[in-house]
Amino acid sequence: MILGAWNSVPSFGQDWNQWRGPNRDGIVTAAPPKWPGRLTKKWQAQVGIGHSSPLIVRNSVYAFTREGEEEVVRRLDLNTGKEIWRSGYPAPYAMNPAAQGHGKGPKSTPTYSGGLLYTLGISGIVSCLDGASGGVRWRHDFTKQFKATSPLYGAAASPLVDNGLCTFFAGGNDNGALIAFDAKSGVIRWRWTGDGPGYSSPIAVTIGGVRQIVLESQDHCVGVEEESGKLLWSLPFKTPFAQNIVTPVIAGGSIVFAGERQPTFAVRVRKSDDEWKAVKTWETGDVTMYMSTPVAVNGRLYGMSERRGGQMFCLDAATGKTLWTGDGRMGENAAILSAGGYILAQTNSSDLIVYKIAPDALREVSRFQVAQSPTWATPAIVGDRIVVKDRDSLILWEIPK
């Protein structure tokens, strides 16, 4: 098997330009060398509700939120927090009663690539905007194509932009399609209709010389050929209430999948003759994950399990062996990132916890309260700057020099 390095979106320097950072893997590439005992708050700006993560591109911050019955994209000045432009569109949405506590979104993080910004609203409206001006390049709403334009709890997966394509899952439960659009024109290149959408964001990876899009759909883990949309391999994977959420992670030459109340497992993808197969290399019931996606660092997998009220863990990425677990009681969700020799966990209760990586555990070195309301969105981190999204605002924190 050849599992190539992947970088789904070309970024400017150390921009935080998509879901989970510049390489879509939770790695902070411009990591601070050390963490002090405090952070300095530089500004806070009201931007609207939602769990979409902010982006940092050059000297701008992009935010995707809801104000009333509109979904709104904003560009703000990174240094001051002042609004540069605002672009909104009508997006009425009726929530599933089971998701009332999470608000009416949006939940999907935008992707910035080649001067363009791509967003996916909670009701399934996809847009491409000019990053400089906010002008709309193209938009689709799918109301004439699917019975429902988003899954049960609203669209949450982040668009993948790679090799000139913008790819995401449209439609609703039992009636959806993974669609690849020409990133510039919005013209559909292909669609795969083998399942409904999950909430898992797709990644792109080269295996055996073939670029593949890998994700958790409604009921499967799948690999689709990026060029054509052909299904290459698939494994059944169901979680309670059709909540496949966790983003696949490349670790130890394998692809790791996880989901609520299901064992975490890794697969190696191989091609034999003309047939692709995904073969499990390990599986562990010690660790299950709900919404939080882990991060792979130096042959280990660090993350937060849903067990014991939110429990940090470390697995051997090659074997799946549990190396250690934490005390628990961290909360329902945590955004997990790797920053140099540290692991960061921003919990939904607004704590940013900084751990030093040690052979037998994570050693907590700092803990910051970064907001006064819940923080479900992943922070954007570039150098000594951290942009946090809470219930309805953006906050810029700086690490003192």
Side-chain angles (χ1 to χ4, degrees):
M1 182 193 80
I2 301 174
L3 185 59
W6 58 279
N7 182 355
S8 59
V9 180
S11 61
F12 297 104
Q14 305 297 335
D15 291 345
W16 195 272
N17 61 329
Q18 61 175 323
W19 168 240
R20 304 192 75 221
N23 294 314
R24 216 173 173 90
D25 57 3
I27 304 295
V28 180
T29 54
K34 62 179 181 179
W35 291 83
R38 65 181 181 88
L39 300 176
T40 301
K41 185 177 179 180
K42 303 300 291 186
W43 53 258
Q44 183 166 354
Q46 297 296 309
V47 294
I49 66 169
H51 302 329
S52 173
S53 301
L55 306 183
I56 299 175
V57 179
R58 294 180 178 174
N59 290 315
S60 296
V61 177
Y62 292 93
F64 182 39
T65 63
R66 171 175 289 272
E67 292 182 329
E69 292 303 306
E70 273 198 327
E71 288 182 329
V72 177
V73 184
R74 279 184 175 83
R75 178 187 175 196
L76 297 87
D77 184 276
L78 176 60
N79 296 309
T80 66
K82 293 182 178 180
E83 185 176 299
I84 298 172
W85 55 253
R86 175 191 186 277
S87 178
Y89 57 88
Y93 180 69
M95 294 180 61
N96 186 307
Q100 289 285 342
H102 285 277
K104 296 173 73 171
K107 301 176 182 179
S108 168
T109 296
T111 298
Y112 183 100
S113 176
L116 301 176
L117 189 72
Y118 302 85
T119 65
L120 179 62
I122 195 167
S123 63
I125 299 172
V126 64
S127 304
C128 173
L129 283 72
D130 183 279
S133 68
V136 178
R137 293 292 187 89
W138 53 265
R139 177 170 287 150
H140 299 283
D141 68 9
F142 306 104
T143 52
K144 296 180 180 180
Q145 299 181 46
F146 300 102
K147 292 183 297 183
T149 56
S150 61
L152 292 174
Y153 311 111
S158 297
L160 171 70
V161 182
D162 188 59
N163 288 330
L165 298 177
C166 173
T167 307
F168 63 94
F169 229 120
N173 273 31
D174 303 320
N175 180 224
L178 182 66
I179 305 178
F181 294 84
D182 181 277
K184 291 185 177 180
S185 70
V187 173
I188 294 177
R189 293 277 193 86
W190 55 256
R191 61 174 66 205
W192 174 72
T193 57
D195 200 0
Y199 307 88
S200 165
S201 295
I203 64 172
V205 59
T206 301
I207 304 175
V210 177
R211 194 70 164 168
Q212 302 184 18
I213 295 173
V214 177
L215 76 158
E216 294 181 6
S217 60
Q218 178 184 321
D219 294 325
H220 296 84
C221 300
V222 300
V224 175
E225 184 177 60
E226 183 180 73
E227 183 179 4
S228 66
K230 176 185 176 182
L231 178 67
L232 300 178
W233 54 269
S234 174
L235 293 173
F237 188 67
K238 293 187 178 184
T239 51
F241 309 106
Q243 293 188 94
N244 285 358
I245 298 174
V246 178
T247 300
V249 173
I250 306 301
S254 298
I255 307 172
V256 179
F257 295 98
E260 183 184 13
R261 304 181 201 173
Q262 298 298 316
T264 297
F265 65 95
V267 301
R268 284 186 180 268
V269 177
R270 293 185 174 91
K271 185 178 183 182
S272 178
D273 297 326
D274 291 329
E275 184 178 2
W276 290 88
K277 290 184 178 180
V279 179
K280 286 187 180 181
T281 56
W282 55 259
E283 179 177 286
T284 176
D286 293 344
V287 168
T288 62
M289 286 171 262
Y290 179 28
M291 289 179 279
S292 181
T293 296
V295 64
V297 182
N298 296 330
R300 294 188 172 190
L301 197 69
Y302 298 93
M304 191 192 82
S305 170
E306 63 185 320
R307 297 192 170 187
R308 299 190 65 182
Q311 179 184 43
M312 293 296 291
F313 68 83
C314 177
L315 300 181
D316 183 296
T319 66
K321 178 183 178 181
T322 302
L323 301 179
W324 51 259
T325 55
D327 295 332
R329 299 180 298 281
M330 289 183 64
E332 192 173 357
N333 184 58
I336 306 297
L337 302 172
S338 169
Y342 300 88
I343 297 295
L344 313 181
Q346 181 184 278
T347 69
N348 59 283
S349 57
S350 306
D351 283 333
L352 177 62
I353 309 169
V354 181
Y355 299 99
K356 180 69 175 177
I357 297 176
D360 59 341
L362 292 177
R363 311 294 185 193
E364 183 177 323
V365 297
S366 299
R367 181 182 291 249
F368 311 105
Q369 185 177 3
V370 292
Q372 297 299 316
S373 62
T375 47
W376 291 90
T378 299
I381 303 176
V382 175
D384 60 355
R385 292 177 165 184
I386 306 169
V387 178
V388 172
K389 172 68 172 68
D390 66 6
R391 182 185 180 276
D392 56 10
S393 69
L394 289 180
I395 307 166
L396 174 64
W397 296 93
E398 285 191 352
I399 300 171
K401 293 183 172 62

